[in-house]
């Protein structure tokens, strides 16, 4: 079966995508510097496949290293050719992703995100590996509170992290245009990935201090935080708290398999697709669902609005639904139950 290079594949989205690809018969070669993940995740993926008996037929490999090390990367591509198992396609997750850190240390972000992508693309080009799925983000859009965001929404990121995502999309497009018959490229613009594998074995485990809603909820559940601070209750939304498009991590991972299949059937391609559910939920609705479904109380208080937040960020996902053999199937119930299961179980494994 074709071998997929999964950069950043031990991170939150990449690790779940390994399962999705292997279930569908692909072999997966993960490369990761472990800057925001650990080897534990490699063991967890293997444990999940073998002990929990998720049916799979693909094989899994792991090499530790930084994408910016072009010589190392070159050797990986070379080695795969020498053993007659060349890299067929790339899913490019590897990136730094903290909005706050990118504001305080923009050079670190431009170096990590742009130089790693340039290194990857130059080696892909050298070895004639021309299919890539890139992890982009809804953060590239100028938020509009009045309607869902489609792929033509004006782009205006408001922080260095978002600027690197928009820039990488432009680099990809320039490369595509340099030889439009050769490249097959998809930018998947994720909305808010949340939840965990329903086994409770895999989930989000950032090394640095989290600032996103679900990792903070987890801290409240574990008693590490007394209460959740909700950033504003005077937004122009249904209940005054911000609305987001939360997509279950397993649905999101499956979109990568669908994206690869889509590319396989095209002569060449450069396209951007929104990956979200198309439904918005407010912070209060999340808390209500989470506490009711898991039978726990989530103490919270309202605080000032967070700088840079938008009232509502919801995907118009109609293009992805039309072009990919994919649709999100998980519900907010799945999201809340799976998150809680992972939060309470991960201490035991
Ligand atoms: P993550 O931090 O959990 O995973 C990223 C992985 O990449 C980590 O394992 C890290 O160690 C690795 N990595 C980083 N730089 C590297 C380098 N130079 N060389 C090799 N490995 C490197 O993040 P995630 O949540 O899984 O996100 C995956 C991708 O999706 C990222 O590109 C992120 O920007 C994008 N994205 C994430 C979200 C989100 O909310 N999680 C939303 C939109 C887009
Ligand atoms: N929120 C709180 N309290 C918290 C944390 C979050 O009220 O302690 C609220 C935020 O105000 C926001 C919602 O919960 O309304 C979701 O916040 P997140 O930080 O989880 O997500 P964002 O939508 O702000 O940003 C996320 C990723 C970005 C990505 C963007 C794409 O963090 O990296 O989605 O839309 F770019």
């Amino acid at each position: 079966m074709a071998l997929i290079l999964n950069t950043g594949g031990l991170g939150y989205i990449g690790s779940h995508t390994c399962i999705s690809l292997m279930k569908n018969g692909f072999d997966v070669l993960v490369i990761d510097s472990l800057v925001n993940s650990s080897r534990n995740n490699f063991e967890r993926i293997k444990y999940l496949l073998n002990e929990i008996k998720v049916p799979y037929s693909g094989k899994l490999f792991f090499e530790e290293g930084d994408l910016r090390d072009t010589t190392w990367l070159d050797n990986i591509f070379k080695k795969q050719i020498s053993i007659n198992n060349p890299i067929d396609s790339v899913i490019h997750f590897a990136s730094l992703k903290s909005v706050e850190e990118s504001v305080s240390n923009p050079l670190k972000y431009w170096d990590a995100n742009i130089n790693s992508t340039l290194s990857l693309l130059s080696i892909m080009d050298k070895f004639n590996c021309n299919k890539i799925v890139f992890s982009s983000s809804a953060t590239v859009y100028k938020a509009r509170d009045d309607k869902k965001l489609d792929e033509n929404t004006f782009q205006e990121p408001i922080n260095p992290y978002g600027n690197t995502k928009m820039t990488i999309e432009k680099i990809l497009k320039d490369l595509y245009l340099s030889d439009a018959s050769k490249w097959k490229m998809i930018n998947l613009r994720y909305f808010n990935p949340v939840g965990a594998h329903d086994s409770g074995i895999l989930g989000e485990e950032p090394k640095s201090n989290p600032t996103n809603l679900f990792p903070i909820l987890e801290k409240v559940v574990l008693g590490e935080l007394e209460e959740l601070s909700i950033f504003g209750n005077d937004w122009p939304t249904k209940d005054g708290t911000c609305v987001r498009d939360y997509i279950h991590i397993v649905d999101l991972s499956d979109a990568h398999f669908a994206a690869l299949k889509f590319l396989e059937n095209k002569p060449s391609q450069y396209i951007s697709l929104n990956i979200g559910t198309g439904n918005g939920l407010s912070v209060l609705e999340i808390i209500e669902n989470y506490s009711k479904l898991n039978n726990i109380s989530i103490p919270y208080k309202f605080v000032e609005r967070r700088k840079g937040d938008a009232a509502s960020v919801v995907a118009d996902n109609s293009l992805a639904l039309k072009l990919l053999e994919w649709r999100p199937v998980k519900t907010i119930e799945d999201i809340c139950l799976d998150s809680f299961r992972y939060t309470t179980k991960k201490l035991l494994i």
Side-chain angles (χ1 to χ4, degrees), residues 157-169:
I158 56 164
N159 52 61
Y161 164 71
N163 284 331
T164 66
K165 289 287 164 193
M166 189 176 77
T167 303
I168 293 169
E169 288 195 7

Side-chain angles (χ1 to χ4, degrees), residues 7-15 31-38 65-68 72 92-97 112-113 116 134-139 161 165 188-193 204-206 212 252:
T7 78
L10 292 192
Y12 176 43
I13 307 172
S15 57
I31 57 179
D32 202 303
S33 64
L34 307 184
V35 63
N36 198 36
S37 56
S38 73
D66 193 301
L67 274 179
R68 286 167 290 188
W72 169 76
H92 181 31
F93 294 106
S95 158
L96 299 182
K97 64 164 185 178
N113 295 356
S116 58
F134 169 59
S135 295
S136 190
S137 166
T139 199
Y161 164 71
K165 289 287 164 193
L188 295 184
R189 294 180 181 150
Y190 314 149
F191 279 66
N192 289 61
E204 183 164 17
E205 207 172 301
N212 294 118
L252 176 65

Side-chain angles (χ1 to χ4, degrees), residues 250-268:
V250 170
D251 279 336
L252 176 65
S253 305
D254 288 344
H256 295 82
F257 167 67
L260 286 174
K261 267 188 81 181
F262 170 77
L263 289 183
E264 225 168 67
N265 300 323
K266 295 277 169 215
S268 71

Side-chain angles (χ1 to χ4, degrees), residues 90-156:
V90 175
I91 306 185
H92 181 31
F93 294 106
S95 158
L96 299 182
K97 64 164 185 178
S98 158
V99 169
E100 291 71 20
E101 194 190 21
S102 80
V103 172
S104 58
N105 200 346
L107 293 181
K108 180 175 174 186
Y109 273 65
W110 282 98
D111 175 36
N113 295 356
I114 303 301
N115 287 332
S116 58
T117 305
L118 290 175
S119 165
L120 173 67
L121 292 172
S122 67
I123 300 294
M124 286 177 69
D125 198 19
K126 176 173 171 188
F127 289 96
N128 230 2
C129 172
N130 301 321
K131 262 182 275 170
I132 181 165
V133 178
F134 169 59
S135 295
S136 190
S137 166
T139 199
V140 298
Y141 295 127
K142 182 177 169 63
R144 293 187 54 146
D145 295 342
D146 55 331
K147 68 189 224 347
K148 292 183 183 180
L149 307 176
D150 69 20
E151 287 80 359
N152 296 318
T153 304
F154 187 70
Q155 294 194 16
E156 194 179 79

Side-chain angles (χ1 to χ4, degrees), residues 161-311:
Y161 164 71
N163 284 331
T164 66
K165 289 287 164 193
M166 189 176 77
T167 303
I168 293 169
E169 288 195 7
K170 287 184 176 163
I171 292 170
L172 290 171
K173 186 157 191 190
D174 283 347
L175 186 58
Y176 168 77
L177 291 173
S178 71
D179 187 349
S181 64
K182 175 166 152 184
W183 290 92
K184 302 184 183 191
M185 300 170 157
I186 295 195
N187 303 312
L188 295 184
R189 294 180 181 150
Y190 314 149
F191 279 66
N192 289 61
V194 289
H197 192 272
D198 63 10
S199 61
I201 305 286
L202 265 189
E204 183 164 17
E205 207 172 301
K207 275 188 173 168
S208 49
N209 248 353
T211 53
N212 294 118
L213 181 61
F214 272 77
I216 299 276
L217 261 179
E218 178 176 316
K219 281 185 173 281
V220 177
V221 169
L222 294 175
E224 293 168 17
L225 253 185
E226 230 167 75
E227 57 194 350
L228 174 79
S229 296
I230 300 182
F231 299 133
N233 60 352
D234 56 353
W235 295 93
T237 58
K238 40 191 160 189
D239 58 22
T241 64
C242 290
V243 167
R244 294 290 182 274
D245 186 335
Y246 296 95
I247 178 160
H248 194 289
I249 185 69
V250 170
D251 279 336
L252 176 65
S253 305
D254 288 344
H256 295 82
F257 167 67
L260 286 174
K261 267 188 81 181
F262 170 77
L263 289 183
E264 225 168 67
N265 300 323
K266 295 277 169 215
S268 71
Q269 188 75 209
Y270 173 87
I271 194 168
S272 301
L273 297 177
N274 285 342
I275 303 296
T277 63
N279 298 314
L281 286 170
S282 72
V283 179
L284 281 176
E285 284 174 322
I286 293 289
I287 295 175
E288 196 186 312
N289 275 286
Y290 198 97
S291 38
K292 206 188 282 169
L293 287 159
N294 294 309
N295 202 19
I296 48 159
S297 100
I298 304 284
Y300 63 83
K301 63 178 178 196
F302 293 111
V303 299
E304 288 293 289
R305 289 181 177 192
R306 183 171 67 175
K307 197 168 161 253
D309 262 348

